[in-house]
Every structure is written in C-alpha cells, then in structure tokens.
Amino acid sequence: GNSVTQMEGPVTLSEEAFLTINCTYTATGYPSLFWYVQYPGEGLQLLLKATKADDKGSNKGFEATYRKETTSFHLEKGSVQVSDSAVYFCALSDRTSGAGSYQLTFGKGTKLSVIP
Amino acid sequence: EADIYQTPRYLVIGTGKKITLECSQTMGHDKMYWYQQDPGMELHLIHYSYGVNSTEKGDLSSESTVSRIRTEHFPLTLESARPSHTSQYLCASSSTGETQYFGPGTRLLVL
C-alpha cells in the first residue's frame, strides 16, 4: 500500500535560517506529490505539488523536487520567517493504485516554529 | 481557488446529543471528504463521496454518518456524541481527486 513518512517535529528555527523537512514515500504506482500547510486555527492549504519525477514544485519561497530514485520529496526554504510557523504535511495521490481511487495519503505532519 | 465552508467553527456539547457538522462548497466539485484530526495533528479519512448519492467510509472507523443529496453539501452527523468524539473535523473537496481544498475546520468538544 501507499505510505508517507516525514520527519518528526517539532522543528524550531531562528528567523532567516534554512529549512528542510524530509519526506519519503512508498507507492505502488506513479504518484503525484504534495506539500500542504496548516496555519494555526485553519484548515490545510496546498503549498506546492509535483506530478512526475524530477518536477520541482515551488511557492512562497518553498521548493520541493520529486526524486523517484530516492522516493523523496523534501521541502526546503532558504530563509524562514516567523509567518512560516505552521504544520506542514507531505502527501501523495496515486490514481493508479486502484480504479476510482481519488484519495490523498498524508504524512503525520511536522510542526515548525520560527522564532525572531 | 475553491470556496469551502464549515459550520460551526467551534462546538461544545453534552454527551448523548445529536449533532450535525455542515460542509458546503461553491465550486461544483464532485469529490468531497471528511477528515478527523487528532491533537497530534495526524489526519484520518473518515468519510468520502465521489458524487451525489455516493458515500463511503474511510480508513478510520467512525460512528458518524454522512449524506450527499446535493453536490455542494456534505454534512456529517453524530447521533449520540461522546467525549471520545472530541476532535477537529476537516472537510475537503476536489474536482480531480488530487488537489484537495480544505475548509477551516470544526473544533468539537464533547463534555
């Protein structure tokens, strides 16, 4: 079956530090990969996505590259801000895993706190 | 960007009460989902629907029920609330089944 493993938090960084949140996946087919972000008191928002190997998703200074050889989709940002404090979820969608399968498999989430 | 709404945002209720959590979306998405989010942040899919009159149970067993009579509306009902139902409930919708758009969530506290 499909699964997503992401680094456990919480992660605490100083403002302007470099961020990496590791994510690896297991999938039976050819998944699309996503990073979602959840700010305090809100639902999840799509941050970025990549649909095939070697694609790079980017948004708001965040980047992640779909690495099929290492089954990874690590999230990076060069300089974090206090406003980036949130919970980050890695997810995959594998339509080929079953007819009519339109579901996301989520990692457990990584809480990021950025301090001034 | 999808507009998806959940009401109420917060609910405190006594044990044994019947409650309905509302979820509506205005984008005409045929796929809708309910997730339960525990305090450790992990998301659990409890119900989903791929169209009107279609509902399925998700990965996590739940005592709740859902209905999908209209495309835009996907309410979740607990017939008899218990303290173990205390959680955050997130509704989502999608046209493709890949990118999902989430509502703001309902925080439920059962006393």
Side-chain angles (χ1 to χ4, degrees):
Chain A
N2 299 330
S3 67
V4 174
T5 302
Q6 61 182 104
M7 65 186 284
E8 292 189 18
V11 174
T12 302
L13 295 174
S14 297
E15 207 164 23
E16 300 183 3
F18 184 86
L19 169 71
T20 300
I21 301 178
N22 290 337
C23 172
T24 57
Y25 68 89
T26 302
T28 54
Y30 302 96
S32 295
L33 301 174
F34 305 82
W35 278 100
Y36 281 81
V37 58
Q38 185 178 29
Y39 297 104
E42 298 183 11
L44 278 69
Q45 303 174 22
L46 178 66
L47 181 59
L48 54 85
K49 69 177 185 180
T51 58
K52 61 183 188 297
D54 299 325
D55 270 2
K56 178 186 284 188
S58 61
N59 186 26
K60 299 181 181 180
F62 291 88
E63 293 184 340
T65 301
Y66 189 141
R67 299 288 188 199
K68 190 169 185 293
E69 63 277 12
T70 55
T71 62
S72 65
F73 193 55
H74 304 322
L75 182 69
E76 297 182 336
K77 187 175 186 184
S79 176
V80 294
Q81 305 301 311
V82 172
S83 57
D84 293 326
S85 297
V87 180
Y88 293 82
F89 292 89
C90 186
L92 72 82
S93 172
D94 186 2
R95 296 265 301 270
T96 59
S97 65
S101 174
Y102 299 107
Q103 296 176 21
L104 290 174
T105 300
F106 284 94
K108 294 185 177 181
T110 302
K111 184 175 182 179
L112 170 67
S113 296
V114 181
I115 55 177
Chain B
E1 186 174 329
D3 289 323
I4 181 164
Y5 309 97
Q6 291 187 242
T7 57
R9 292 292 312 275
Y10 305 93
L11 181 61
V12 180
I13 201 162
T15 296
K17 299 293 186 183
K18 178 179 179 179
I19 60 171
T20 296
L21 307 185
E22 302 288 348
C23 177
S24 295
Q25 48 96 6
T26 60
M27 300 306 290
H29 291 167
D30 55 353
K31 301 168 187 63
M32 297 189 74
Y33 309 82
W34 275 105
Y35 293 88
Q36 185 173 337
Q37 186 172 30
D38 61 28
M41 305 171 298
E42 190 170 359
L43 292 163
H44 304 282
L45 180 67
I46 52 175
H47 296 283
Y48 61 96
S49 167
Y50 292 162
V52 171
N53 295 324
S54 157
T55 62
E56 300 288 343
K57 289 188 179 294
D59 304 324
L60 181 69
S61 176
S62 173
E63 294 165 347
S64 58
T65 59
V66 293
S67 62
R68 190 86 183 276
I69 298 171
R70 302 199 313 267
T71 296
E72 63 272 21
H73 195 213
F74 191 40
L76 181 145
T77 298
L78 278 167
E79 290 291 335
S80 180
R82 296 210 298 267
S84 60
H85 297 138
T86 294
S87 191
Q88 170 154 257
Y89 293 85
L90 295 169
C91 181
S93 73
S94 175
S95 59
T96 64
E98 290 200 339
T99 301
Q100 293 185 14
Y101 297 89
F102 283 78
T106 294
R107 288 190 179 275
L108 173 65
L109 174 60
V110 183
L111 302 175

